[in-house]
Every structure is written in C-alpha cells, then in structure tokens.
Amino acid sequence: MDDVVIGVSGLVKNYPNNPAVCNVSFKVRRGEIFALLGPNGAGKTTIIKILEFVERPTSGFAYVLDSEQLYALTKDYTGIKEKIGALPQGFKGFDLLTVYENIDYFAQMYRKYGNVDRIIDEMGLRDKRNALFKHLSGGQKQRVGIAIALINDPEVVFLDEPTTGLDPKARRDVWDMIKGLKARGKTVLLTTHYMDEAHQLADRICVLNRGSIVTHGTPEDLINKYGGGNTLVVRGCSTGAIERLREALPGSLVSGNDVTVRLAYGDGMAAMAKAISVLGGDGHLCQELYVKKPTLEDVFLNLTGERLDDA
Ligand code: ADP
C-alpha cells in the first residue's frame, strides 16, 4: 500500500482482567480520513492512545510516520511527537485562561509552532479570542481543542470522539473543520460511535466491537456488502392495510402499525407500486410510504447482532 503513515499489526492491549484490544491490524494512508467506528468500550480510545504514546501495548506492532515500531526502547520519538497533533476525548481547556492563552500555552511546548492568531481565525474563533474558556459554548470549546491539536502544523491528527456532546449545528461545524484538514493534506485518524459521522467524513472505516475488528472498508463498500439492501417501509398502517400489505408483499414484517419488506436488488419500484395499488391510493390507510437505504448502523447490526447505540 502506498504511502502508509500509520500501521498497526496484531495489536493487543490487556488491562488487568480486561482485554481492551485483541489482535487489531489496519493501515492508514497519507492524506486520508480514517475512522475507528464502534460503541463505547470497543477499544477505540485505547488504540488511539497507543498511537499517541500515552499507553503501551501489551503486544503487537504499531508505527506512526516512520516504519520503526513505537515503543522500541532504543529510539527517541521526539521527532514523531512534533509531527502529530491530538484532540483527546472530552477535551477541557483551562477555564480561567482566554482562548488565546489556552492555545499559546500548548504552542510553547513545541520547538516549532504556528501563529496563534492565524489558527484562531482558521477555527472561526476571532471574536472569542479574549473570552475565558469557561464562557465558550460546547462547539467553541471543541474548536479550541482542535486548534491546539493543529498548532504544531502536524502531519497526522488524532481526534478522539470529536463531536460527542455537541448540538447538531456545532457537530456540522466540527465536521467542516475536519474536512478542511483533509483539504490541507493532513492525515486524520478519528474515533466515533456516530455512524453518520463516520459516513460523512471517512474515506475508510474500521468497525470495532469488544476490542476486535468487525470489518473495514469504504463506507459505500461496507453498506453494499453488509447493509442488507433497501427496505420498503409503510408506517402508521390501519389494521386493514396491514392485512392487505401482508398478502401482497411476501416476507413483510409487522411491528406495531408499521410494515417493512426487505427488497431484492432492483425491486424497489415494483414493491412500491404494489403497495400503493393494494392500498388503493387511500391516504387514510397509512401515513407514510418510502424506501429506506441501509446505513452503517445496519452494517453493524447485521455483522454483530447488536445495535451500535445499545452495544
Ligand atoms: P472506546 O474508546 O471504544 O469506548 P476504550 O478503549 O476506552 O473503548 O475501552 C476499551 C475497554 O478497556 C473498556 O472495557 C474499558 O473499560 C477498558 N479500559 C480502558 N481504559 C482502561 C484502564 N485505564 N484500566 C482498565 N480498563 C480500561
């Protein structure tokens, strides 16, 4: 694989009585956004912490930017640390320092760092430059965290759950910023338990559950392979409508007042036409009728038997 900047092979991390990461292998190419997607406890943070030099693996091989194994005792990793940036999970700045002071504090830790005011502008925080951290909104705080992750102009950026706890507008702002990192040629490894976030942002996804890889690939490939095809959904049906649909559409599943039918490839239009014809176009018989495409949530459900939200 060309220009691999992160490599993980047979990675294992055991906490006392707790196998957090079990034999995980993947590669990340330069310039791509790569997502570790999985529910809480899947091992995402542990993997990212190993790559950031925060945790040591129990066994296995990992490298970042340099094909020498991390944690080899003889090597000085200062050079690599200067080239990576990290947004930790649940980032918190100093409440009583301003936005400028928070970013400048971390900038001083590097031998070479960017212009703090420029990065404040890039993160859309100019009018908050002199505001105390504690007075910022959740989205603004997260942008300060991303600014800190970028202050050394890193080649690789680790973002651990970058939008957890944010409202929908702030999430979208952070997504735009992450897309901007890719446009600037950065390699991004992010973790998330939001399947829409992984789908929106990632070039490739590694799906994890209970410390192991479930599958990996591009979002489209995963959905095509494991999503289970389209589903016809008829919601809010009357009792009579449910009976008619069950007769007309073999394999229908009924849940409350909703009827769903798994569609074979290319069957969507025919099934929809059949449903409309048996309902006689009578708007009182059901409330909604549509074809639902599978998502990464369906991929996770089909491969693990668990829901991403509940697992
Ligand atoms: P995720 O980021 O996917 O939510 P984590 O990597 O944080 O998952 O955790 C994976 C597993 O390792 C979980 O069962 C968690 O409880 C456990 N774990 C994480 N950190 C520690 C630790 N410092 N000590 C013991 N167990 C831990």
Side-chain angles (χ1 to χ4, degrees):
M1 197 189 280
D2 282 343
D3 216 2
V4 171
V5 291
I6 299 173
V8 168
S9 172
L11 199 69
V12 173
K13 175 72 183 178
N14 294 325
Y15 291 110
N17 303 319
N18 194 354
V21 177
C22 321
N23 192 22
V24 165
S25 307
F26 61 83
K27 287 178 176 170
V28 181
R29 297 175 197 133
R30 184 176 298 280
E32 75 176 340
I33 301 181
F34 189 92
L36 299 176
L37 171 70
N40 285 334
K44 308 180 297 294
T45 298
T46 305
I47 294 171
I48 226 169
K49 280 183 174 170
I50 290 170
L51 294 170
E52 293 165 351
F53 303 88
V54 177
E55 288 279 4
R56 295 182 77 86
T58 305
S59 62
F61 187 92
Y63 66 86
V64 179
L65 284 169
D66 166 334
S67 57
E68 279 214 42
Q69 181 168 6
L70 297 185
Y71 306 100
L73 292 176
T74 51
K75 187 148 164 79
D76 171 12
Y77 289 102
T78 316
I80 296 179
K81 288 181 183 173
E82 295 268 342
K83 291 185 198 160
I84 64 174
L87 173 75
Q89 193 175 135
F91 164 77
K92 242 186 117 356
F94 297 108
D95 269 346
L96 299 178
L97 295 186
T98 64
V99 165
Y100 183 94
E101 289 164 345
N102 263 287
I103 300 170
D104 189 52
Y105 175 89
F106 287 96
Q108 303 298 331
M109 293 180 184
Y110 293 98
R111 286 181 296 197
K112 259 175 58 191
Y113 54 87
N115 181 292
V116 175
D117 274 311
R118 185 165 352 117
I119 198 124
I120 285 176
D121 281 355
E122 284 169 8
M123 291 296 123
L125 289 166
R126 185 187 293 191
D127 58 340
K128 295 289 170 191
R129 180 187 188 277
N130 298 319
L132 293 185
F133 186 82
K134 68 174 182 177
H135 290 148
L136 302 179
S137 69
Q140 289 161 347
K141 286 178 174 170
Q142 204 66 342
R143 281 188 264 160
V144 172
I146 295 177
I148 290 169
L150 296 177
I151 193 62
N152 56 327
D153 195 22
E155 290 178 40
V156 174
V157 188
F158 296 104
L159 304 173
D160 194 0
E161 302 270 358
T163 67
T164 295
L166 298 186
D167 64 48
K169 159 82 172 72
R171 283 184 81 204
R172 281 179 191 281
D173 288 348
V174 171
W175 286 359
D176 287 344
M177 260 154 227
I178 296 171
K179 286 178 190 163
L181 298 183
K182 179 181 159 80
R184 285 158 55 189
K186 310 282 181 207
T187 305
V188 179
L189 176 60
L190 71 90
T191 75
T192 183
H193 59 271
Y194 297 124
M195 55 97 188
D196 57 338
E197 182 158 297
H199 196 165
Q200 277 284 327
L201 294 177
D203 297 302
R204 290 189 305 130
I205 297 173
C206 176
V207 183
L208 290 164
N209 195 29
R210 302 177 201 279
S212 297
I213 294 183
V214 175
T215 184
H216 56 84
T218 66
E220 285 67 31
D221 279 354
L222 296 182
I223 288 169
N224 289 340
K225 262 195 200 155
Y226 306 114
N230 292 347
T231 306
L232 177 72
V233 182
V234 193
R235 299 194 54 207
C237 300
S238 67
T239 317
I242 290 175
E243 282 319 307
R244 289 193 210 177
L245 289 167
R246 267 170 34 151
E247 270 172 36
L249 299 165
S252 319
L253 294 175
V254 180
S255 165
N257 292 104
D258 302 339
V259 178
T260 55
V261 194
R262 276 283 175 91
L263 300 171
Y265 182 72
D267 274 2
M269 290 300 281
M272 211 168 207
K274 216 172 201 179
I276 291 170
S277 88
V278 297
L279 295 174
D282 184 340
H284 299 300
L285 292 177
C286 76
Q287 285 165 357
E288 252 187 306
L289 184 147
Y290 56 89
V291 173
K292 178 180 161 295
K293 288 186 186 311
T295 64
L296 290 170
E297 177 74 58
D298 298 303
V299 171
F300 192 81
L301 181 65
N302 291 336
L303 290 176
T304 66
E306 297 170 41
R307 297 194 67 82
L308 198 47
D309 287 344
D310 305 340

